[in-house]
Amino acid sequence: MTQIITTISEMRAQVHAWRNAGECVGLVPTMGYLHEGHKSLIERSVADNDRTVVSVFVNPTQFGPNEDLESYPRDLDRDVALVTHAGADVVFHPEPEEMYFPDRSTTVHVEGLGNELCGKSRPIHFDGVCLVVSKLLNITTPDRAYFGQKDAQQLLIVRRMVRDLSIGTDIVGCPIVREPDGLAKSSRNTYLSPAERAAAVVLSRSLACGRAVVESGERSAEAVRAAIRAELATEPLAEPEYVEVVDTNTVSPVDVIAGEVLVAIAVRIGTTRLIDNFFFDPAA
């Protein structure tokens, strides 16, 4: 059975013991309610490292007012069962009071990269992500930390933060895991009604249209966006928040695809906000 650790001091002591034994450590940061996408990250860490820590922590600092902090799905027993099956050693499950002092005054902000895409509608989100990830990296001092590509903007921002702060952890991005019909795995998929779940497939379908355009040789970002928007428009329940093609270094929109880009969308299906994306490099 995977060990459950709830305090920072005990987590640090466990990592110290592993280090003294000459073992390397992987970290998979999560907010719990784990699915096959998380499992793929855990299995990658287990394959790459002697020991793997999976954090299960619904981080309050990355939720804005009127977001789904209180309703965010939680099931620790289910999470521990999945983590155990995937072969990880520890679930780090602290309470918010363990992670944050009541009078905390420190923030972690990555300038620029959080201004576009999800940052427009969730202005405090990435500061909260950077704060909790920096704390988790400091507590567990992993050799490698694993993040899913579905949250691509988060992956790019965490990589920049780790680079800028000279944190000695390799940030490993892992492919999106999808349902058989193409919908990207997400804890928020549980919010969808049956009709909304059927409609949500339009996200991956629209991105496939965009990918086909760019892989045909088209280098106009607007042409790619137009193809995606046209497919999204075929689904009455889909309300696009953004359809963008951005530079992976700056996360700023581009007009012409000349280097690696992230093609990303955010769409509301009913009250549920879903995201999906793909990377494209014309030189690859």
Side-chain angles (χ1 to χ4, degrees):
M1 186 69 170
T2 299
Q3 181 183 7
I4 301 174
I5 292 177
T6 60
T7 68
I8 293 171
S9 60
E10 187 181 357
M11 188 69 256
R12 283 181 163 153
Q14 179 61 83
V15 172
H16 183 68
W18 290 336
R19 295 293 187 197
N20 282 345
E23 295 176 316
C24 63
V25 179
L27 170 68
V28 181
T30 84
M31 292 209 301
Y33 213 73
L34 306 182
H35 51 65
E36 290 297 317
H38 297 108
K39 187 179 179 184
S40 72
L41 303 181
I42 299 165
E43 290 174 339
R44 174 70 183 275
S45 179
V46 169
D48 290 350
N49 303 282
D50 299 309
R51 300 289 184 175
T52 291
V53 177
V54 179
S55 64
V56 174
F57 178 64
V58 182
N59 175 39
T61 68
Q62 68 191 66
F63 288 81
N66 303 316
E67 291 188 343
D68 57 341
L69 173 60
E70 297 305 321
S71 63
Y72 194 85
R74 296 163 170 86
D75 190 338
L76 183 62
D77 290 342
R78 176 176 172 273
D79 291 342
V80 172
L82 183 147
V83 170
T84 301
H85 187 260
D89 300 277
V90 165
V91 168
F92 179 46
H93 179 57
E95 293 295 326
E97 296 77 16
E98 177 71 11
M99 287 292 282
Y100 294 116
F101 291 99
D103 62 346
R104 65 178 178 84
S105 54
T106 300
T107 60
V108 181
H109 176 70
V110 176
E111 185 66 32
L113 276 68
N115 294 344
E116 301 292 337
L117 304 181
C118 293
K120 287 186 174 180
S121 63
R122 307 186 72 190
I124 72 165
H125 175 70
F126 291 114
D127 287 359
V129 168
C130 287
L131 179 60
V132 75
V133 170
S134 64
K135 287 177 70 69
L136 290 168
L137 295 178
N138 186 41
I139 292 163
T140 63
T141 60
D143 297 273
R144 302 169 190 88
Y146 298 81
F147 293 82
Q149 182 189 307
K150 186 181 76 69
D151 296 302
Q153 187 175 15
Q154 171 180 278
L155 173 62
L156 296 173
I157 289 172
V158 168
R159 278 182 173 156
R160 181 65 60 85
M161 177 190 76
V162 165
R163 186 203 72 175
D164 288 354
L165 297 182
S166 301
I167 297 172
T169 298
D170 182 23
I171 302 301
V172 181
C174 297
I176 297 172
V177 175
R178 298 184 179 277
E179 302 284 359
D181 62 4
L183 180 65
K185 296 268 190 178
S186 171
S187 300
R188 288 189 170 94
N189 291 348
T190 59
Y191 297 160
L192 299 169
S193 70
E196 291 167 347
R197 172 62 184 81
V201 181
V202 75
L203 274 80
S204 58
R205 197 169 69 234
S206 67
L207 284 176
C209 293
R211 185 186 287 276
V213 168
V214 75
E215 288 183 349
S216 74
E218 178 63 67
R219 294 296 176 261
S220 163
E222 178 52 33
V224 177
R225 292 192 294 264
I228 294 170
R229 286 195 296 261
E231 186 62 28
L232 288 172
T234 67
E235 175 47 66
L237 294 182
E239 297 182 11
E241 179 182 301
Y242 65 73
V243 175
E244 283 293 356
V245 181
V246 300
D247 182 279
T248 55
N249 289 314
T250 63
V251 194
S252 296
V254 301
D255 295 322
V256 177
I257 300 171
E260 186 184 42
V261 295
L262 170 67
V263 181
I265 62 176
V267 179
R268 288 194 180 274
I269 305 290
T271 60
T272 304
R273 182 180 184 275
L274 301 175
I275 59 175
D276 204 345
N277 66 80
F278 67 88
F279 286 96
F280 179 77
D281 186 348

